[in-house]
């Protein structure tokens, strides 16, 4: 009943009042909803800010992790990591038979980082490195890298490493070794402790033989630990193969040193060449040194006398001069000369040894007697400019171009200066400066039928990939004389050994053709009394030469100084020993 009354009353209310009631209800509901929505929005903002802050923190951390500040990296690495150079093996040098002349062997370098070194451990170094290292590392040292000892052989290094001395680190390196000791020192040269070539072929080919060290990053050790880098060095190496025959080189050096000591010489040299190719089969210089030690008693031992020393050749030059005179028409094979022991020429007097008169002589006898008078007479018949040109073609007055360092060009006067007795003096081997290499190259033309070859000692060079990067080749520079003239001179040199001044070189093993020579030593334009160079140059077998060799003993003081007395016997002994090994 009540309900019906209410409904009735509501139906009786005016329509405007009804509308106002509904509006009020909606406003009330909206006000309540707005208050709730504001609370929700505030929550969303707070959580959004918190999430953004966390995201920024993560992003910043990631950037720092993957793209750190360079200064931080450097500082961190300097504290915890170290850069270490691990040396690679230097290229090999081999003889023509692949016998090793210069190799690199693995060794170990021991070092200490002072920042990670406890000075209380210094006494532990005494057993292996001596008292000096104990004193050095008993105090605080600067830097981050102090060498204890280099080039320790592997067997010794193993014992040191097994001791595990705290703070003592190590790395592999290589030591340059010459298996034959001092053999071929003046050809090979030597390396410094870091493996860089300092002389000889080691220096000339350093850019190929030397391999740049590899850099590795290693953890720095603490004061309570010991460790090192034991990685492998590079296996691929370059190789240089020479024309040298180690057997010939050993024979030449041994006999040159023996003759040098017996005659108490100041210096000596010898070269053996293949006259058919220009290949240098052996080249020696005395005194010598051992590249393994890198300690040299004087600058004299460093000089390669075969290419770096100029000296007057004396009478070993006469076969060359006679060949020029024949080619230029200054004499002929049937010419004879009369020697009275001395002869006035311009404002000088030409003498033979002890003014000995050789009498009537053929050209071969002029060589056999080493007659200065006969050589001077034929010299006067030769045009100066033409003779000079032929001497240049023979290789005098310029470098031979052999592929080794320190070569001298010799001394040859310009033809404009060939006045008075200059031509005669030149033809008898005075007033001209030569090297042993020039002499053996020129004499090879007498042996091979008149051809001048460019001498060479490097046969083949292989890169690290095994490919050939350089190839030495036989090269004819000139046909300086005819084959007939060469054969005639060679026959005369056979007579020199058979019955002339070179009899001390006569061998029962093989026939030798050669020529002796004794020259005074000049200083400041004046010959010094009592100072001489003794030489012998020759070829064998005499009828068809396969080898040409020159031996020069510089300034002997043992009493005898003639080439026929001291150089010829040395030559003979070398030839006979080579014949045994061939």
């Amino acid at each position: 009943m009540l309900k019906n009354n209410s409904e009735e009353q509501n139906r009786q209310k005016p329509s405007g009042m009804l509308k106002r009631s509904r509006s009020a209800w909606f406003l009330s509901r909206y006000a309540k909803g707005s208050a709730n929505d504001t609370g929700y929005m505030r929550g969303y903002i707070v959580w959004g800010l918190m999430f953004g802050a966390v995201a920024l923190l993560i992003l910043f951390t990631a950037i720092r992790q993957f793209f750190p500040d360079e200064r931080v990296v450097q500082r961190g690495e300097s504290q915890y990591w170290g850069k270490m150079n691990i040396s690679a093996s230097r290229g090999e040098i081999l003889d023509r038979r692949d016998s090793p002349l210069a190799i690199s062997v693995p060794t170990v370098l021991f070092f200490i980082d002072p920042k990670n070194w406890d000075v209380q451990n210094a006494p532990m170094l005494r057993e292996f490195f001596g008292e000096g290292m104990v004193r050095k590392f008993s105090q605080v040292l600067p830097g981050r890298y102090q060498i204890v000892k280099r080039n320790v052989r592997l067997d010794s290094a193993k014992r040191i490493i097994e001791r595990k001395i705290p703070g003592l680190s190590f790395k592999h390196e290589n030591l340059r070794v010459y298996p034959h000791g001092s053999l071929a020192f003046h050809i090979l040269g030597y390396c410094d402790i870091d493996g860089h070539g300092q002389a000889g072929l080691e220096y000339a080919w350093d850019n190929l033989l030397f391999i740049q060290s590899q850099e590795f990053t290693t953890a720095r050790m603490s004061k309570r630990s010991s460790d090192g880098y034991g990685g492998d060095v590079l296996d691929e190496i370059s190789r240089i193969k020479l024309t040298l025959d180690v057997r010939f080189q050993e024979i030449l050096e041994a006999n040159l040193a023996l003759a040098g000591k017996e005659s108490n010489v100041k210096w000596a040299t010898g070269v053996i060449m293949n006259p058919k190719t220009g290949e240098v089969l052996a080249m020696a210089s005395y005194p010598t040194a051992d590249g393994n030690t890198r300690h040299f008693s004087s600058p004299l031992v460093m000089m390669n006398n075969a290419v770096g020393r100029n000296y007057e050749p004396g009478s070993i030059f006469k076969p060359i001069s006679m060949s020029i005179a024949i080619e230029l028409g200054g004499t002929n094979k049937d010419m004879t000369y009369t020697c009275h022991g001395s002869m006035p020429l311009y404002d000088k007097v030409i003498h033979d040894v002890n003014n000995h008169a050789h009498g009537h002589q053929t050209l071969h006898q002029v060589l056999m007697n080493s007659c200065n008078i006969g050589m001077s007479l034929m010299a006067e018949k030769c045009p100066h400019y033409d003779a000079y040109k032929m001497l240049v073609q023979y290789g005098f007055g310029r470098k031979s171009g052999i592929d080794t360092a320190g070569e001298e060009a010799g001394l040859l006067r310009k033809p404009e200066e060939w006045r008075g007795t200059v031509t005669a003096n030149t033809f008898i081997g005075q007033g001209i400066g030569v090297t042993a290499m020039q002499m053996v190259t020129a004499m090879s033309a007498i042996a091979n039928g008149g051809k001048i070859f460019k001498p060479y000692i490097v046969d083949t060079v292989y890169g690290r990939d095994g490919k050939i990067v350089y190839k030495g080749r036989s090269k004819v520079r000139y046909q300086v004389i005819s084959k007939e003239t060469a054969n005639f001179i060679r026959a005369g040199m056979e007579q020199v050994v058979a019955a002339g001044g070179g009899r001390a070189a006569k061998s029962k093993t093989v026939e030798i053709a050669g020529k002796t020579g004794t020259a005074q030593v000049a200083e400041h334009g004046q010959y010094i009394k009592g100072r001489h160079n003794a030489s012998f140059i020759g070829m064998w077998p005499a009828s068809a030469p396969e080898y040409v060799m020159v031996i020069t003993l510089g300034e002997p003081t043992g009493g005898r100084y003639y080439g026929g007395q001291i150089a010829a016997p040395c030559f003979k002994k070398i030839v006979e020993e080579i014949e045994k090994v061939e």
Side-chain angles (χ1 to χ4, degrees), residues 9-176:
Q9 290 175 2
N10 288 335
R11 285 195 295 266
Q12 293 177 356
K13 287 181 180 180
S15 60
M17 182 179 295
L18 182 60
K19 290 180 181 179
R20 284 195 297 269
S21 297
R22 289 178 177 173
S23 297
W25 182 83
F26 280 114
L27 286 174
S28 172
R29 296 291 298 176
Y30 176 78
K32 290 179 181 180
S34 296
N36 290 337
D37 288 345
T38 300
Y40 286 131
M41 288 298 295
R42 287 175 181 172
Y44 290 151
I45 291 172
V46 171
W47 282 107
L49 290 174
M50 290 178 64
F51 178 80
V54 172
L56 287 174
L57 182 61
I58 293 173
L59 179 62
F60 180 78
T61 302
I63 291 174
R64 286 298 184 185
Q65 180 69 29
F66 297 106
F67 306 99
D69 188 286
E70 188 65 28
R71 294 168 297 179
V72 175
V73 173
Q74 292 177 357
R75 188 172 184 84
E77 288 186 347
S78 67
Q79 292 177 352
Y80 301 106
W81 301 93
K83 299 292 185 181
M84 185 179 297
N85 288 323
I86 307 302
S87 62
S89 184
R90 186 175 173 88
E92 297 177 336
I93 303 178
L94 312 170
D95 87 329
R96 67 188 300 115
R97 300 161 60 87
D98 292 327
S99 177
L101 299 173
I103 59 175
S104 292
V105 298
T107 59
V108 173
L109 180 152
F110 288 94
F111 66 96
I112 284 173
D113 179 356
K115 298 294 184 182
N116 296 315
W117 171 250
D118 187 345
V119 296
Q120 300 298 320
N121 294 329
M124 301 178 69
L125 302 174
R126 182 179 290 107
E127 178 183 355
F128 302 107
F129 306 110
E131 194 63 36
M133 289 296 104
V134 174
R135 289 194 298 270
K136 177 179 179 180
F137 290 101
S138 293
Q139 54 187 325
V140 177
L141 297 174
R144 303 301 303 269
Y145 183 81
Q146 292 285 341
I147 293 176
V148 180
K149 190 174 183 179
R150 298 192 64 173
N151 296 140
V152 180
R153 297 300 178 101
L154 295 184
D155 53 349
S156 299
K158 182 180 179 181
R159 293 194 298 269
I160 299 172
I161 295 169
E162 288 175 348
R163 186 60 60 88
K164 295 184 178 181
I165 300 174
L168 178 66
S169 300
F170 66 92
K171 69 173 184 176
H172 281 291
E173 60 178 357
N174 285 280
L175 174 66
R176 195 59 163 176

Side-chain angles (χ1 to χ4, degrees), residues 368 492-507 511-515 536-537:
M368 291 169 64
M493 294 174 67
E494 286 187 64
Q495 293 300 310
V496 170
V497 175
R503 288 187 297 272
K506 188 175 182 179
S507 171
E511 289 187 354
I512 296 172
K515 183 69 186 76
F536 189 91
I537 193 166

Side-chain angles (χ1 to χ4, degrees), residues 412-575:
L412 176 63
R413 291 186 180 185
K414 298 294 183 182
E416 295 82 3
E417 302 174 22
W418 287 30
R419 302 185 184 93
T421 59
V422 171
T423 307
N425 286 338
T426 301
F427 268 53
I428 64 177
Q430 292 182 352
I432 181 173
V434 304
T435 66
M437 184 59 63
Q438 289 174 335
M439 282 304 307
V440 79
T441 302
M443 193 56 66
S444 290
I446 304 295
N448 66 31
K451 298 181 178 68
I452 292 294
F453 283 91
K454 179 182 181 294
Y456 67 103
I457 200 168
V458 176
D459 180 75
T460 312
V461 178
Y462 301 91
R464 288 173 54 192
D465 57 0
K467 295 181 180 179
I468 295 176
V469 298
Y470 173 83
K471 178 65 179 177
R473 289 182 174 86
S474 180
K475 179 181 179 182
V476 177
R477 283 177 164 165
Y478 300 101
Q479 178 75 39
V480 65
I481 58 175
S482 68
K483 184 177 181 179
E484 292 73 23
T485 298
N487 291 340
F488 178 83
I489 298 298
R490 189 177 72 246
M493 294 174 67
E494 286 187 64
Q495 293 300 310
V496 170
V497 175
R503 288 187 297 272
K506 188 175 182 179
S507 171
K508 295 180 180 180
T509 303
V510 62
E511 289 187 354
I512 296 172
K515 183 69 186 76
T516 60
T518 306
Q520 287 181 278
V521 175
E523 266 190 11
H524 309 297
Q526 298 293 325
Y527 288 110
I528 309 300
K529 186 177 180 180
R531 294 174 63 184
H532 303 84
N533 294 327
S535 301
F536 189 91
I537 193 166
M539 59 198 74
W540 76 96
S543 58
E546 296 178 4
Y547 309 104
V548 174
M549 178 168 63
V550 62
I551 297 293
T552 299
L553 305 176
E555 302 190 44
T557 58
R560 300 184 304 168
Y561 59 85
Y562 286 109
Q565 293 175 324
I566 59 176
C570 178
F571 186 102
K572 171 189 172 182
K573 189 176 180 183
I574 292 170
V575 170

